[in-house]
């Protein structure tokens, strides 16, 4: 699973990306065992807007496929859109919707227009969360329309089997309530069909909490019993 | 993105550096105990922060890759 230690991955990433990492969630130490712990990889434009994501650990081959797809798609989008940022965004979101269709047989409408955003805290468009300010919002994914009707049943079954065999596969409902299988990368494409080219600070909560099921946190490592001589209730442990 | 063309220059420059090594002193062999500064045991070079990575990306006409981790970054299961 150690994709980043692979020399081929390193060569490609170092050639096309400047990289960094952040710790965004905690993990728990219970006794001597570690509970939780995960990783999400974001491929962004230099201004921090997310082009693509890999949710969870993957092997070197899968990592390279995704990294190369980002570079290729960026190249094509730049050629297609020129200096038009709106066209570039629409191109990327449509590309995510297309990958969802090609790999897992499910369709989603790419969101190619974003409504105006709030300018500041007092703006009439600002949403005020009654529970306080969350660390990062959870963005709603665009709804799944259902299967690609141009596919024969055999082909749709093959793509759904591919989904079922991919990491993080789980059930999702489409707009009509029918159930389908979608793995982590399928969920990434679904979300980015509506939210690609959004700043990383607005997307990471959705990826970490909705897809990976990890709670984002600013807390350091949680230790279940940091002091072996103190019980959980705070009383000193008595030797038996 | 002109960095694809720039890549050629990097390859040539790397070749020159390696050529210099071959002609001069032998390269230092890592002992395994030294810190792998900036790479954390991977093949990827990491900048100190996403802001630094963004600055480098802009300068080098590259994209940015940011890893978000919970747990030990050095744990190979998560990288």
């Amino acid at each position: 699973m150690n994709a980043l230690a692979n020399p081929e991955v390193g060569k490609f990433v170092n050639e096309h990306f400047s990289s960094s990492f952040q710790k965004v969630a905690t993990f728990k130490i219970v006794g001597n065992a570690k509970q939780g712990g995960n990783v999400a990889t974001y491929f962004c434009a230099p201004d921090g807007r997310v082009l693509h994501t890999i949710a969870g650990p993957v092997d070197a081959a899968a990592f390279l496929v995704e990294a190369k797809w980002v570079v290729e798609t960026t190249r094509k989008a730049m050629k297609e859109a020129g200096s038009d940022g709106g066209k570039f965004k629409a191109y990327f979101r449509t590309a995510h919707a297309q990958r969802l269709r090609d790999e897992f047989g499910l369709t989603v409408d790419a969101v190619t227009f974003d409504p105006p955003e709030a300018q500041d805290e007092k703006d009439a468009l600002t949403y005020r969360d009654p529970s306080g300010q969350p660390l990062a919002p959870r963005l709603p994914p665009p709804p799944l329309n259902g299967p690609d009707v141009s596919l024969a049943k055999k082909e749709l079954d093959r793509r759904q089997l591919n989904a079922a065999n991919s990491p993080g596969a789980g059930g999702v409902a489409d707009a009509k309530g029918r159930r389908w299988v979608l793995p982590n990368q399928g969920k990434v494409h679904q979300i980015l069909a509506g939210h690609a080219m959004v700043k990383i600070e607005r997307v990471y909560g959705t990826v970490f909490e909705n897809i990976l099921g990890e709670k984002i946190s600013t807390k350091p490592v949680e230790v279940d019993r940091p002091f072996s001589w103190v019980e959980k209730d705070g009383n000193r442990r008595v030797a038996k | 993105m002109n960095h694809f063309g720039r890549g050629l220059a990097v390859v040539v420059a790397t070749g020159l550096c390696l050529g210099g090594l071959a002609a001069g002193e032998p390269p230092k062999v890592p002992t395994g105990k030294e810190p792998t500064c900036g790479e954390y045991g991977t093949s990827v070079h990491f900048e100190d922060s996403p802001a630094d990575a963004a600055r480098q990306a802009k300068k080098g006409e590259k994209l940015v890759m940011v890893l978000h981790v919970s747990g030990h970054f050095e744990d190979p299961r998560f990288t």
Side-chain angles (χ1 to χ4, degrees), chain A residues 2-5 9 13 18-25 38-44 52-58 63 200 204 208 212, chain B residues 39-40 42 44-50 53 64-75 78-79:
Chain A
N2 193 359
L4 297 184
V9 170
V13 169
S18 288
S19 311
S20 182
F21 71 92
Q22 290 174 302
K23 290 189 180 184
V24 295
N38 221 320
V39 63
T41 309
Y42 298 87
F43 300 108
C44 309
H52 189 34
T53 300
I54 302 175
V58 292
F63 193 97
I200 191 168
Y204 85 99
F208 236 72
L212 296 174
Chain B
E39 295 186 353
Y40 302 90
T42 71
V44 176
H45 178 78
F46 289 95
E47 304 296 338
D48 288 341
S49 69
V64 175
M65 185 180 87
V66 179
L67 293 185
H68 278 181
V69 290
S70 66
H72 288 300
F73 181 72
E74 295 78 5
D75 187 335
F78 303 122
T79 54

Side-chain angles (χ1 to χ4, degrees), chain A residues 67-80:
Chain A
K68 285 180 178 174
W69 181 81
V70 177
V71 173
E72 260 323 293
T73 311
T74 304
R75 219 182 267 173
K76 286 180 193 162
M78 286 173 78
K79 196 174 172 190
E80 184 84 14

Side-chain angles (χ1 to χ4, degrees), chain A residues 13-177:
Chain A
V13 169
N14 290 335
E15 188 180 340
H16 295 99
F17 299 89
S18 288
S19 311
S20 182
F21 71 92
Q22 290 174 302
K23 290 189 180 184
V24 295
T26 187
F27 59 93
K28 202 170 181 179
I29 294 176
V30 179
N32 290 324
K34 193 173 93 174
Q35 291 181 352
N38 221 320
V39 63
T41 309
Y42 298 87
F43 300 108
C44 309
D47 62 359
R49 286 184 292 172
V50 175
L51 301 167
H52 189 34
T53 300
I54 302 175
V58 292
D59 59 22
F63 193 97
L64 262 183
V65 166
E66 301 300 336
K68 285 180 178 174
W69 181 81
V70 177
V71 173
E72 260 323 293
T73 311
T74 304
R75 219 182 267 173
K76 286 180 193 162
M78 286 173 78
K79 196 174 172 190
E80 184 84 14
S83 58
D84 187 336
K87 265 190 191 170
F88 186 91
K89 179 172 72 180
Y91 188 94
F92 244 92
R93 290 183 181 181
T94 308
H96 280 289
Q98 188 61 42
R99 277 197 72 187
L100 185 66
R101 182 190 297 252
D102 291 347
E103 290 172 27
F104 308 116
L106 299 176
T107 61
V108 69
D109 289 329
V111 180
T112 53
F113 172 77
D114 288 329
E117 284 187 4
Q119 298 297 307
D120 57 54
E121 283 290 302
K122 291 182 179 172
D123 192 290
L125 293 172
T126 301
Y127 169 67
R128 290 171 185 83
D129 190 336
S131 64
Q133 187 65 36
L135 283 172
R138 286 179 170 200
L139 303 174
L144 289 170
N145 295 330
D148 180 358
V149 291
S150 66
L151 298 176
K153 186 179 180 308
K154 199 175 169 188
E155 178 59 20
L156 177 63
D157 288 347
R158 189 189 67 75
R159 294 186 190 184
Q160 279 289 285
L161 188 64
N162 173 34
N165 290 331
S166 303
V172 289
D174 67 18
K176 291 182 179 171

